[in-house]
Amino acid sequence: MTLTVAQIDRDTDQLVGEWLPLSEVAKKLQLSIGRAKQLIKDKKLVGARRGGGEPQIPAVFIAGDDVIKGLPGTLTVLADAGYSEVESIRWLFTPDESLPGAPIDAIKAGRHTEVKRRAQALGF
C-alpha cells in the first residue's frame, strides 16, 4: 500500500513555517516509520511533499512525544467536509479573526472543541 501525500504550494508552505520529515516525526512519537505513515493514512496526521524526498508534517502538530490533543478529530472532520490534505493544512494555519488567531493556535491552546465545531460547519 502506497502512501499518497500531496505536493504543497508555496503560500501554504509559508503559512506553516517549520516542518518535520516523517522519519523525525516517527522518532519523536517513538513509532516505526510504517506506523507514522499509518497515522497519515488514518487522517490522524496530515503531511505534504516539499520539494523531493519524504513527506513532511507541520512541526506544531507534535508536542513532546504525541500528536497535539484535538488535532486528529479536527482532521477527520475536515476530511469528511471534503478537504484535501493541503486544504486542511491551509485552513488550520490561516488566521481567523473570530478565534482570534489560526485554528491550529486555538487547538494548541486547548480550544479544539471550538475549532472542530467550526470545521463541521464547513461541510454544510
Side-chain angles (χ1 to χ4, degrees):
M1 199 168 6
T2 306
L3 177 67
T4 55
V5 180
Q7 183 74 31
I8 198 81
D9 60 276
R10 187 194 300 150
D11 291 341
T12 305
D13 188 17
Q14 290 176 342
L15 271 176
V16 172
E18 187 181 355
W19 295 81
L20 294 172
L22 190 59
S23 57
E24 178 79 15
V25 170
K27 273 187 217 161
K28 285 182 176 280
L29 299 178
Q30 301 172 11
L31 300 171
S32 68
I33 192 77
R35 182 66 190 115
K37 286 179 180 179
Q38 191 63 44
L39 290 175
I40 294 173
K41 288 178 191 169
D42 294 344
K43 306 286 187 225
K44 306 280 187 230
L45 278 176
V46 290
R49 297 220 184 263
R50 299 174 65 234
E54 66 183 301
Q56 303 221 356
I57 309 296
V60 72
F61 288 178
I62 308 302
D65 63 354
D66 208 354
V67 175
I68 60 172
K69 183 177 180 179
L71 180 66
T74 303
L75 292 174
T76 298
V77 170
L78 289 170
D80 290 350
Y83 277 52
S84 70
E85 289 86 356
V86 172
E87 290 167 334
S88 294
I89 292 169
R90 189 177 311 125
W91 185 83
L92 284 165
F93 284 88
T94 299
D96 178 342
E97 60 218 30
S98 70
L99 274 173
I104 193 63
D105 298 325
I107 291 171
K108 280 180 16 189
R111 298 185 357 247
H112 48 87
T113 303
E114 179 182 352
V115 172
K116 250 188 280 191
R117 271 197 300 269
R118 289 168 189 258
Q120 286 171 330
L122 299 171
F124 298 101

